[in-house]
């Protein structure tokens, strides 16, 4: 069974930074894309960013500039660097893995931005 595990969330003050990590127990060469979504309280889950196995990245238009996605070419691992955090970035951040065998989600990691 494929496992997707996020880490790196936490509480941070506005203007701060965080780096989220996601590791998947799936053969790297079967992955099409890995990405991040987020769900704020009372809102629908929204797309944040994704990266293909070849390293091509894509971002939600509204989030370009503060979010950077990157991957580890040797492992099924993806990172999300978030800078200049705002209270509206408060959400559960979910990792998504699209592989030959299916579409997988992690349990999420909470990011809270508050002074």
């Amino acid at each position: 069974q494929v496992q997707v595990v996020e880490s790196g969330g936490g509480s941070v003050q506005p203007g701060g930074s965080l780096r989220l990590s996601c590791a998947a127990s799936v053969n790297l060469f079967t992955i099409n894309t890995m990405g991040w979504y987020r769900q704020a309280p009372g809102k629908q889950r929204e797309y944040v960013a994704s990266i293909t196995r070849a390293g091509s990245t894509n971002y939600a238009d509204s989030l370009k500039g503060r979010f950077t996605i990157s991957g580890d070419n040797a492992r099924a691992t993806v990172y999300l660097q978030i800078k200049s955090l705002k209270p509206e970035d408060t959400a559960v951040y979910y990792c998504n893995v699209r592989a030959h065998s299916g579409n997988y989600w992690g349990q999420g990691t909470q990011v809270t931005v508050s002074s």
Side-chain angles (χ1 to χ4, degrees):
Q1 184 173 350
V2 174
Q3 290 187 320
V4 179
V5 180
E6 303 99 335
S7 61
S11 295
V12 63
Q13 293 187 340
S17 300
L18 278 177
R19 187 192 195 211
L20 308 182
S21 300
C22 169
S25 64
V26 63
N27 187 320
L28 175 65
F29 297 100
T30 69
I31 293 175
N32 295 316
T33 64
M34 294 184 71
W36 291 93
Y37 290 71
R38 69 182 186 180
Q39 187 166 18
K43 296 188 177 181
Q44 290 188 331
R45 191 173 297 188
E46 66 172 346
Y47 171 79
V48 175
S50 59
I51 185 168
T52 68
R53 186 158 56 86
S56 295
T57 59
N58 191 55
Y59 296 89
D61 287 341
S62 61
L63 301 178
K64 286 180 179 178
R66 296 191 299 115
F67 291 72
T68 303
I69 190 169
S70 60
D72 186 329
N73 288 334
R75 299 181 294 172
T77 301
V78 66
Y79 307 98
L80 185 70
Q81 180 75 42
I82 315 172
K83 62 181 181 181
S84 302
L85 278 155
K86 304 176 181 180
E88 51 263 42
D89 293 321
T90 295
V92 178
Y93 285 72
Y94 295 92
C95 181
N96 173 253
V97 179
R98 299 189 179 194
H100 297 173
S101 57
N103 189 30
Y104 306 98
W105 292 90
Q107 293 298 308
T109 185
Q110 177 71 46
V111 171
T112 302
V113 184
S114 174
S115 56

